[in-house]
Amino acid sequence: MVMTHFPRLRQLLLLQPKFLSSQPRILRSPSPLIRTPTFRRSLMGSSSSFSSSSSSKLLFRQLFEKESSTFTYLLADVSHPDKPALLIDPVDKTVDRDLKLIDELGLKLIYAMNTHVHADHVTGTGLLKTKLPGVKSVISKASGSKADMFLEPGDKVSIGDIYLEVRATPGHTAGCVTYVTGEEADQPQPRMAFTGDAVLIRGCGRTDFQGGSSDQLYESVHSQIFTLPKDTLIYPAHDYKGFEVSTVGEEMQHNPRLTKDKETFKTIMSNLNLSYPKMIDVAVPANMVCGLQDVPSQAN
């Protein structure tokens, strides 16, 4: 059984993904950032071997940083000899916690990824790179941020035999992406979508700064997220009401903003009257260099 890392709401635990029998592995390019014949790129954490069964190959942990109400997600292929892993949306204040867990579980962290340039906390990618040399910072090319690797729509990020597909979901910021597990039977089922701030549980991210656009966000969600299978699990970057996970079907039916027509949605978003984010003047400049990406060079 997949477990969550912290003792928050348990009523949705049964929604955690199960795994089907093994199918032929997906094709991978021979090295990072090489285009495949279908003009999609693969980021490979390490070379992969065939697995006799895909059962329980995904190790998944949902972690929480309470000050900014941020979720960090740890995924690893534990069927692979190296147990390659990645983190999505790490926070600087919880880097030591994350590294301790990774060490306890015997994982090899390959990627520290962000769904977008956050305004409410400083990403942990820079600290992770200084504490664990060899980890690569990853973010969308459209973000304009610095990182080791830049993603475009259709790219695939692989750890062992598990991969995440990159979907562009701008609107909260201009560079937002959603990471979605693969559709093949040997990938985690039901599928998982790490939506950042594009879709929150019964909500969505604000659109009034960082190149945000309510029109663009509405189109992104309805074309890139709500077109996924309805049982796809939605894991957002934040939650402020005690929820942990939702599904595409739930949000299509119950999201109080995104169930409306586009013009009504735009009116809702333009009348939120939200306060200026208290961390934005610190977080955005830091996150544009992926946390502490340039600290070693500045010290020279």
Side-chain angles (χ1 to χ4, degrees):
M1 178 182 292
V2 179
M3 298 186 297
T4 55
H5 181 67
F6 53 90
R8 284 159 48 89
L9 293 179
R10 300 294 182 182
Q11 70 270 25
L12 294 171
L13 188 59
L14 294 177
L15 288 174
Q16 303 291 348
K18 298 180 181 179
F19 306 93
L20 305 182
S21 59
S22 179
Q23 298 292 328
R25 57 187 283 199
I26 62 171
L27 295 177
R28 306 172 188 273
S29 59
S31 60
L33 300 176
I34 300 297
R35 290 194 179 274
T36 67
T38 59
F39 298 96
R40 292 186 177 184
R41 301 177 296 171
S42 293
L43 297 176
M44 294 181 62
S46 54
S47 60
S48 179
S49 60
F50 286 100
S51 174
S52 60
S53 173
S54 63
S55 176
S56 301
K57 70 180 178 181
L58 172 68
L59 182 148
F60 173 67
R61 296 291 186 271
Q62 182 183 45
L63 310 168
F64 189 69
E65 194 281 308
K66 62 182 180 180
E67 185 172 332
S68 61
S69 297
T70 298
F71 287 122
T72 296
Y73 298 99
L74 172 65
L75 290 81
D77 183 353
V78 293
S79 71
H80 190 281
D82 292 337
K83 295 185 178 180
L86 60 81
L87 283 170
I88 298 174
D89 289 335
V91 179
D92 62 341
K93 294 181 179 180
T94 50
V95 161
D96 289 339
R97 175 204 65 186
D98 298 347
L99 289 177
K100 183 175 185 292
L101 178 62
I102 288 167
D103 180 64
E104 289 173 346
L105 297 174
L107 308 178
K108 180 180 181 181
L109 185 63
I110 307 298
Y111 300 119
M113 305 167 60
N114 283 291
T115 53
H116 63 289
V117 174
H118 298 274
D120 50 12
H121 68 270
V122 175
T123 178
T125 52
L127 277 176
L128 286 164
K129 284 168 57 64
T130 62
K131 292 174 177 284
L132 201 62
V135 173
K136 300 296 184 183
S137 57
V138 182
I139 200 168
S140 72
K141 183 177 181 180
S143 71
S145 175
K146 291 187 177 182
D148 296 313
M149 295 182 177
F150 299 100
L151 300 173
E152 298 184 58
D155 287 352
K156 293 180 179 179
V157 182
S158 299
I159 47 169
D161 287 324
I162 297 169
Y163 74 89
L164 298 176
E165 171 197 342
V166 180
R167 295 193 173 204
T169 49
H172 170 61
T173 74
C176 288
V177 294
T178 292
Y179 300 119
V180 185
T181 55
E183 62 183 348
E184 295 85 355
D186 67 339
Q187 297 299 302
Q189 300 295 333
R191 298 177 74 179
M192 308 163 76
F194 301 93
T195 56
D197 286 23
V199 176
L200 306 178
I201 299 173
R202 308 302 191 263
C204 64
R206 61 194 295 175
T207 58
D208 57 335
F209 62 88
Q210 288 182 273
S213 163
S214 57
D215 186 279
Q216 194 173 40
L217 179 59
Y218 190 90
E219 289 296 330
S220 293
V221 171
H222 282 263
S223 66
Q224 299 298 317
I225 299 174
F226 283 0
T227 53
L228 290 165
K230 290 184 179 180
D231 65 347
T232 301
L233 301 170
I234 287 183
Y235 290 102
H238 304 281
D239 186 79
Y240 309 98
K241 298 179 180 179
F243 294 108
E244 296 178 349
V245 60
S246 184
T247 67
V248 166
E250 279 187 40
E251 296 308 311
M252 290 178 67
Q253 184 175 359
H254 299 298
N255 192 295
R257 299 177 185 175
L258 292 163
T259 52
K260 303 296 190 293
D261 63 80
K262 185 194 288 188
E263 292 306 313
T264 302
F265 174 77
K266 290 166 63 175
T267 299
I268 291 171
M269 297 306 291
S270 64
N271 288 284
L272 292 178
N273 298 317
L274 298 173
S275 60
Y276 188 74
K278 64 180 181 179
M279 280 289 293
I280 189 170
D281 293 330
V282 174
V284 170
N287 292 337
M288 288 299 292
V289 291
C290 268
L292 301 175
Q293 180 87 6
D294 285 345
V295 165
S297 63
Q298 290 174 354
N300 292 335

